[in-house]
Amino acid sequence: MCGIVGYVGENQAAPILLDGLYKLEYRGYDSAGIAVYGEEGIKVAKARGRLKILDEMTHGGAMLPGTAGIGHTRWATHGAPNDVNAHPHFNRDESIVVVHNGIIENYLKLKKKLEGKGYQFCSETDTEVVAQLLDYYYDGDPLKAITKIMHRMEGSYALGILFKDHPGTVYAVRKDSPLIVGHGQGGNLIASDVPAVLKYTRSVYFIENEEIAKLTKDDITFYNIDEEVLVKEPSEIGWDISAAEKGGYEHFMLKEIYEQPKAIADTLNPRLKDGRIVIEELKMDDEEIRQIHKIFIVACGSAYHTGVTSKYVFEGLARIPTEVDLASEFRYRNPILDEHTLVVIISQSGETADSLAALRLAKSQGVRTLGIVNVVGSSIAREADNVMYTWAGPEIAVATTKAYSTQLIAQYLLALKFAQARRMLPEEELAGYIADLRKIPDQVEMVLGNKEKIQKFANRYLAAKDIFFIGRGIDYAISMEGSLKLKEISYIHSDAYAAGELKHGTISLIEEGTLVVAVLTQAELYKKTISNMVEVRSRGAFVMAVTNSGNQEVEKTADFVIYIPETNRYFTNSLAIIPLQMFGYYVALGKGCDVDKPRNLAKSVTVE
Ligand code: M6R
């Protein structure tokens, strides 16, 4: 939610800031702004709407000359998305300017106090309070003012700050919102995420909570909240900028859909060694695994949907009781956790506020935690006891595809590891599952071959009002994700139902021509779901089915069928989700929606 950048160096700052903001636009895109320190002091330009508007308004940044600056792309929390609420925000005499990602939870209290001291505010944002609070404490020493406001602010923040008295210097500080520092040639940068700096450097520092960075052209100095200097080591980023570019595809989402075979193989292969599953990052031997009597999978959105599938996989293969929770519920429901519990937090970004809070809750109760995370060095990755990375590479489209697929793979591996340690699987069965895992990348590739067929079918539903997804067991979990993919990017209302639940109310919504997408990958449930398809069809529904090859029987009840290659019953999600991702994509494309940046959404949800 919101992206921030900063630059100080030999080059003009504004074009570098705009370029970095384009890489961060997935984090929020309702307004954007930059502040540049030039010969005439600090100049700000900001505009409601996409970054392109600001880019054109400033002639690619040429209207704001200067070699130090900060920038912001916003996902509105406090105050409507308009020019006034857009960042950066000044203090009262325009000598301090701030960009912010996060939420200052006590901003109203701070605002009232400042108003009592004569401060006036022009925006509705919590960020303007930060700028004015800095003003209040500033006596010529930026570091002192920053540490003072850190003691006063509650909530989360990543801040980029310029002080008029300190030309050629960018300050940055973070708590519970991501921020990295890039060490470049002839200049240094700050950013909310790595892609914004990759064009200039692969050497980055991950700033920890409550750490401050002071950047000049040639130096980077880190401090803690007590103003003591910290020694930090940079990390080398292992991928280059092309991984975060569209590479000829019309949208990042389509590119990422097609990257799934590779992302799955990258997540899988390093953990399959000599016919065994080796998850070194788990740091648990078989005896320790056997001490785990219950698993909680906790996540949000699509990551939660992978957990719904994994419950069946963990319970089916490893026979270990598994609960799946939405992080936003788990954190407030006083879950029963003990030393025999493992809490698995799943997150692409590793920054989702609710998932992070759930992790901290589990840790505060002394429970063992494991993060399944995509973004290296993110908060959840750093704070979980152990982290198993999904190697999906950078995922830019707001609608997740390849990260979702790799989260599934990580959980299959984990479930098989637990099954192995708990002696629930004879060797030959385990070998069979491993063989099935190895086939998944090629099988996904095969399903991707249905592109034309799905696009043609999707084009018939551009004007649909409601589309329902139904399935049972793992097929219900697949339906939940299929439905989310469609609605988040096409804005068509959609819901997923456990197929047997339809007749308890929802079936009244079925009208002549309503599309119902039925998922049938669980052979023992085919007949049951087919009965539900018959029920909706006889009420006028048009039925699309996604099923295993060989289940031709379904053609008697479905109007349109996509077949997936044969795998075992636990891994079908990895194949059945592909046509549903493509269906959502092509409906949204046909409707002319902004596929990569759907309205009201942002890629990483760092607010509660
Ligand atoms: O970064 P996370 O995996 O923690 O994000 C969780 C959800 O916000 C995310 O999966 C969201 O539902 C997807 N963008 C939907 O496509």
Side-chain angles (χ1 to χ4, degrees):
M1 311 242 121
C2 304
I4 71 170
V5 289
Y7 170 81
V8 51
E10 289 166 354
N11 298 308
Q12 287 298 302
I16 295 174
L17 297 174
L18 290 170
D19 183 62
L21 289 177
Y22 275 115
K23 302 286 181 320
L24 297 179
E25 220 186 350
Y26 70 87
R27 302 179 65 85
Y29 32 81
D30 56 44
S31 57
I34 53 175
V36 176
Y37 200 136
E39 303 226 316
E40 292 159 28
I42 300 171
K43 269 180 109 178
V44 165
K46 48 191 188 175
R48 180 187 174 174
R50 296 290 160 90
L51 182 59
K52 208 164 169 291
I53 298 172
L54 178 75
D55 191 346
E56 284 166 8
M57 193 177 103
T58 60
H59 303 294
M63 286 175 64
L64 285 87
T67 55
I70 52 178
H72 189 268
T73 176
R74 181 171 186 242
W75 186 87
T77 55
H78 297 71
N82 58 32
D83 289 358
V84 177
N85 290 329
H87 299 209
H89 288 282
F90 270 125
N91 66 331
R92 57 180 162 183
D93 66 357
E94 305 198 343
S95 59
I96 302 171
V97 69
V98 176
V99 288
H100 169 216
N101 169 30
I103 288 185
I104 307 301
E105 286 167 2
N106 60 339
Y107 85 105
L108 281 175
K109 195 170 142 205
L110 294 170
K111 190 171 182 177
K112 207 165 160 209
K113 283 208 166 182
L114 287 165
E115 278 169 342
K117 294 183 188 304
Y119 283 86
Q120 288 177 351
F121 293 82
C122 56
S123 79
E124 300 155 86
T125 65
D126 50 343
T127 309
E128 195 183 0
V129 175
V130 178
Q132 301 285 31
L133 198 61
L134 276 168
D135 178 285
Y136 178 70
Y137 284 117
Y138 183 63
D139 63 0
D141 180 350
L143 190 59
K144 202 154 107 196
I146 291 170
T147 56
K148 284 212 164 133
I149 67 162
M150 288 165 76
H151 286 293
R152 299 298 308 276
M153 295 186 301
E154 290 164 18
S156 58
Y157 48 83
L159 301 170
I161 313 165
L162 299 178
F163 291 85
K164 196 172 171 194
D165 292 352
H166 296 263
T169 312
V170 172
Y171 284 89
V173 56
R174 80 168 278 249
K175 179 177 163 262
D176 291 341
S177 287
L179 193 65
I180 57 134
V181 171
H183 179 37
Q185 289 283 331
N188 294 310
L189 303 105
I190 59 165
S192 299
D193 198 359
V194 171
V197 306
L198 269 188
K199 196 166 159 187
Y200 312 98
T201 181
R202 282 198 196 183
S203 173
V204 306
Y205 295 89
F206 293 103
I207 309 185
E208 299 290 336
N209 263 350
E210 303 202 320
E211 288 181 357
I212 304 152
K214 176 186 171 190
L215 285 75
T216 61
K217 179 166 73 70
D218 305 308
D219 271 322
I220 304 169
T221 318
F222 297 99
Y223 304 90
N224 63 18
I225 196 167
D226 298 322
E227 297 178 45
E228 293 160 340
V229 173
L230 301 170
V231 178
K232 289 175 79 73
E233 289 300 319
S235 306
E236 273 305 295
I237 300 300
W239 43 275
D240 65 26
I241 193 64
S242 64
E245 283 173 348
K246 281 190 206 154
Y249 285 90
E250 195 172 348
H251 293 103
F252 278 109
M253 183 176 173
L254 191 62
K255 177 183 177 234
E256 288 160 7
I257 286 174
Y258 277 91
E259 282 174 345
Q260 289 181 106
K262 181 177 182 310
I264 290 171
D266 289 349
T267 303
L268 192 58
N269 292 342
R271 281 132 180 169
L272 297 180
K273 289 186 185 141
D274 305 323
R276 312 283 306 161
I277 289 171
V278 181
I279 311 177
E280 276 153 11
E281 318 90 292
L282 189 57
K283 300 204 173 88
M284 286 169 88
D285 61 26
D286 285 359
E287 185 44 42
E288 286 172 299
I289 290 177
R290 284 193 284 275
Q291 290 307 311
I292 299 293
H293 299 167
K294 183 159 190 176
I295 295 178
F296 281 83
I297 301 177
V298 186
C300 301
S302 297
Y304 166 77
H305 296 160
T306 69
V308 179
T309 293
S310 298
K311 174 181 165 64
Y312 294 98
V313 185
F314 275 105
E315 294 191 339
L317 289 174
R319 304 303 298 153
I320 183 161
T322 305
E323 280 192 42
V324 197
D325 264 90
L326 290 163
S328 52
E329 293 293 316
F330 178 87
R331 62 184 291 193
Y332 295 119
R333 81 169 173 89
N334 196 9
I336 302 167
L337 309 170
D338 65 23
E339 72 272 25
H340 296 294
T341 307
L342 174 69
V343 173
V344 182
I345 307 283
I346 304 171
S347 175
Q348 188 285 130
S349 62
E351 301 292 347
T352 302
D354 284 319
S355 305
L356 187 57
L359 169 68
R360 288 178 180 164
L361 171 79
K363 285 191 74 177
S364 71
Q365 299 194 16
V367 175
R368 192 187 268 270
T369 58
L370 172 72
I372 295 182
V373 177
N374 196 42
V375 176
V376 175
S378 56
S379 298
I380 294 173
R382 285 200 311 265
E383 293 189 28
D385 295 321
N386 299 113
V387 59
M388 189 174 169
Y389 281 113
T390 51
W391 297 114
E395 190 180 66
I396 310 293
V398 165
T400 181
T401 52
K402 62 175 181 169
Y404 172 90
S405 285
T406 56
Q407 287 164 355
L408 285 173
I409 296 293
Q411 289 168 89
Y412 301 160
L413 286 165
L414 207 56
L416 286 170
K417 179 80 197 156
F418 269 65
Q420 192 182 298
R422 289 164 61 86
R423 302 190 189 98
M424 292 294 169
L425 276 185
E427 283 296 316
E428 33 332 330
E429 262 189 61
L430 179 65
Y433 284 115
I434 292 177
D436 286 346
L437 277 178
R438 288 194 189 280
K439 286 185 207 154
I440 294 177
D442 286 344
Q443 292 178 322
V444 169
E445 199 80 65
M446 280 168 67
V447 185
L448 288 169
N450 287 297
K451 172 189 175 293
E452 259 105 56
K453 199 174 162 191
I454 295 171
Q455 181 168 15
K456 207 164 149 204
F457 181 72
N459 282 334
R460 290 165 51 184
Y461 286 94
L462 308 185
K465 190 161 63 77
D466 306 292
I467 296 180
F468 297 99
F469 288 70
I470 58 169
R472 290 168 181 256
I474 285 181
D475 292 337
Y476 174 40
I478 301 169
S479 300
M480 290 164 105
E481 178 61 7
S483 170
L484 178 61
K485 282 288 86 74
L486 175 75
K487 69 186 142 204
E488 70 179 322
I489 56 173
S490 73
Y491 317 139
I492 291 175
H493 167 258
S494 172
D495 264 317
Y497 286 94
E501 269 296 296
L502 274 182
K503 57 188 166 297
H504 297 288
T506 311
I507 202 160
S508 65
L509 296 171
I510 304 294
E511 294 172 356
E512 195 61 39
T514 304
L515 177 63
V516 175
V517 181
V519 184
L520 306 93
T521 71
Q522 305 295 300
E524 71 283 9
L525 297 169
Y526 283 166
K527 286 206 177 89
K528 302 285 170 198
T529 305
I530 285 181
S531 303
N532 304 124
M533 289 159 63
V534 172
E535 285 160 14
V536 293
R537 218 175 174 218
S538 55
R539 286 160 179 84
F542 194 87
V543 179
M544 165 179 170
V546 176
T547 193
N548 301 322
S549 61
N551 184 23
Q552 262 75 10
E553 186 66 18
V554 83
E555 289 180 21
K556 292 186 191 146
T557 324
D559 301 282
F560 176 73
V561 184
I562 294 288
Y563 290 102
I564 60 164
E566 210 50 66
T567 185
N568 71 74
R569 63 206 255 223
Y570 296 112
F571 301 165
T572 54
N573 190 341
S574 291
L575 307 177
I577 198 57
I578 307 295
L580 302 185
Q581 292 170 344
M582 292 170 106
F583 177 67
Y585 173 78
Y586 283 116
V587 172
L589 183 75
K591 287 187 71 178
C593 299
D594 191 344
V595 176
D596 285 337
K597 299 188 194 96
R599 70 182 178 212
N600 304 338
L601 290 174
K603 181 73 179 160
S604 98
V605 185
T606 54
V607 296
E608 195 177 335

